[in-house]
Amino acid sequence: MTSKDEMRGSVDSIAYIESDNEVEFEFPYNGGATLRIAVRKSQRFGTNVYLSISDGQFIGNAFDGSTYVTIKFEDGPLQKYYFDDAADGSTDVIFLRKEKELIAKFKTAKKIMIEAPFFDSGSKQFTFTVGKPLE
């Protein structure tokens, strides 16, 4: 997906994949929620990797060090990736650190599992089957 930044005269691009599964949250987010992994390249913001949830709110606590998601690529070991909240205060999006490392792994992985913390719901797991490498 691409969009033009008229002010800067540049084109921003976003590649994303949606989770295979849905998770259930309590009220007010009743119904199934999916997770999206996205890679954004823009002149204004640089290259970012972010997660967005269709319904629900991410949560992390910098004080106790719980601002991370756990990711498993293929049958590899569990890995922690720390995140930052969205600058605009949105709670349905988090930005992962170590972008270059993640993008390299996304390019080769056929299966990805992500466990993320959510407000009033604990950690939830999402599975992604990648038909072709994320470009």
Side-chain angles (χ1 to χ4, degrees):
M1 179 170 89
T2 61
S3 63
K4 185 165 182 156
D5 182 338
E6 297 288 337
M7 182 176 277
R8 289 166 186 78
S10 63
V11 175
D12 297 346
S13 59
I14 298 175
Y16 66 88
I17 185 170
E18 198 96 14
S19 64
D20 299 338
N21 64 314
E22 295 181 343
V23 299
E24 295 290 325
F25 290 112
E26 300 286 325
F27 177 83
Y29 302 109
N30 299 2
T34 57
L35 187 70
R36 179 181 282 188
I37 302 170
V39 177
R40 175 180 70 184
K41 286 184 124 181
S42 77
Q43 182 178 354
R44 183 175 178 197
F45 299 109
T47 301
N48 305 110
V49 175
Y50 64 89
L51 303 178
S52 61
I53 189 73
S54 60
D55 285 308
Q57 298 180 56
F58 292 103
I59 191 165
N61 186 334
F63 181 74
D64 71 4
S66 65
T67 54
Y68 66 87
V69 298
T70 303
I71 302 179
K72 183 176 182 177
F73 294 96
E74 306 285 338
D75 292 322
L78 302 180
Q79 299 175 47
K80 288 182 182 179
Y81 286 92
Y82 287 86
F83 64 81
D84 296 306
D85 296 330
D88 68 359
S90 299
T91 57
D92 61 342
V93 176
I94 54 174
F95 289 82
L96 301 178
R97 299 177 190 171
K98 297 187 179 180
E99 297 91 345
K100 288 180 183 178
E101 179 181 314
L102 282 166
I103 291 168
K105 290 181 180 188
F106 291 157
K107 287 181 177 181
T108 60
K110 299 230 185 287
K111 182 177 180 183
I112 302 167
M113 294 184 74
I114 297 179
E115 183 177 73
F118 293 93
F119 176 74
D120 214 21
S121 297
S123 293
K124 301 287 185 183
Q125 296 180 356
F126 297 86
T127 304
F128 300 83
T129 303
V130 184
K132 62 180 183 177
L134 191 62
E135 296 180 18

